[in-house]
Amino acid sequence: METTSRTAEQQAPAAVGRKVDGYLLAAFPWYGLDEAFTGPRWLMQVGAAADGTVEHGATGHGEEPTIKVESPQDERFAVVVTVASRPVRRSADGTGVLEATSVSTAAWLAGSGLLNHTWPTQMDRTLRQAWLDQQTMLAWELADDLGGGAWSELMLPVDGVPTSFAYRESEYGWVLAGSAGDGPEPVHLGAYGRGMSAYGLGFSVVGDISSYAG
């Protein structure tokens, strides 16, 4: 699995200058919900490799989630994660190898993203950290087994084309992952949300990422 790649992606988040600037540095297209969604849109952050190459990022839709709300189930949001399709490659410093990205990478980033915006109301801060560590490991294991029983298939349109996604639900929300684009810049897509059903969503290339900057 993409252990080395994931470590690099998580340890090197990048947001250059204005938040949108990091998105503008990407060499791949960003995805969001299609025009059927008419609510608020906002940016999260990009993740970059050690050499500054943008590897992934996320666009938000609906209410910006916060773990501080009284009832997280009252939140309504969907976040779309775009991951650059990368082959096996050497690290920027030449000392190691970064494994290829895949749909599992997108599933992992989406699963961990949902957890980061979840705070079980019965837990204090110390217990939540232990819970988060445990659930993050579980999300990693689930992302490694997209063909397993924890996932089902969900067909959703991507730029109008029916596309297969691996989908699962939990008490904290839903997560899905698949791939998009057959051209020179294919990407892997992940998404997670709460309060908004994944059924009926559609994804499309974002024409102007600065429109998410508010």
Side-chain angles (χ1 to χ4, degrees), residues 45-124:
Q45 67 177 17
V46 300
D51 63 356
T53 300
V54 176
E55 300 281 356
H56 63 83
T59 55
H61 309 79
E63 303 168 8
E64 295 194 43
T66 170
I67 59 176
K68 297 180 180 180
V69 296
E70 288 296 323
S71 178
Q73 299 305 322
D74 292 339
E75 294 179 319
R76 298 185 71 257
F77 67 88
V79 172
V80 180
V81 180
T82 307
V83 183
S85 180
R86 302 286 193 223
V88 175
R89 62 229 187 261
R90 296 200 66 80
S91 60
D93 59 11
T95 60
V97 174
L98 301 178
E99 295 187 17
T101 59
S102 68
V103 176
S104 289
T105 311
W108 156 245
L109 289 169
S112 59
L114 178 63
L115 291 171
N116 284 333
H117 291 99
T118 301
W119 191 310
T121 54
Q122 74 275 18
M123 292 184 182
D124 62 23

Side-chain angles (χ1 to χ4, degrees), residues 120-200:
T121 54
Q122 74 275 18
M123 292 184 182
D124 62 23
R125 186 175 300 274
T126 302
L127 288 177
R128 180 183 181 272
Q129 187 57 55
W131 172 87
L132 185 59
D133 292 342
Q134 179 188 54
Q135 294 298 312
T136 298
M137 181 58 67
L138 177 60
W140 192 326
E141 293 171 355
L142 288 170
D144 261 341
D145 187 26
L146 294 179
W151 300 88
S152 60
E153 183 183 37
L154 181 60
M155 298 294 294
L156 296 173
V158 179
D159 292 323
V161 178
T163 303
S164 175
F165 288 89
Y167 173 79
R168 67 178 178 88
E169 294 181 355
S170 74
E171 61 183 298
Y172 308 112
W174 52 263
V175 173
L176 60 80
S179 292
D182 296 323
E185 297 178 312
V187 297
H188 305 297
L189 292 182
Y192 62 91
R194 188 160 53 227
M196 290 175 58
S197 173
Y199 293 86

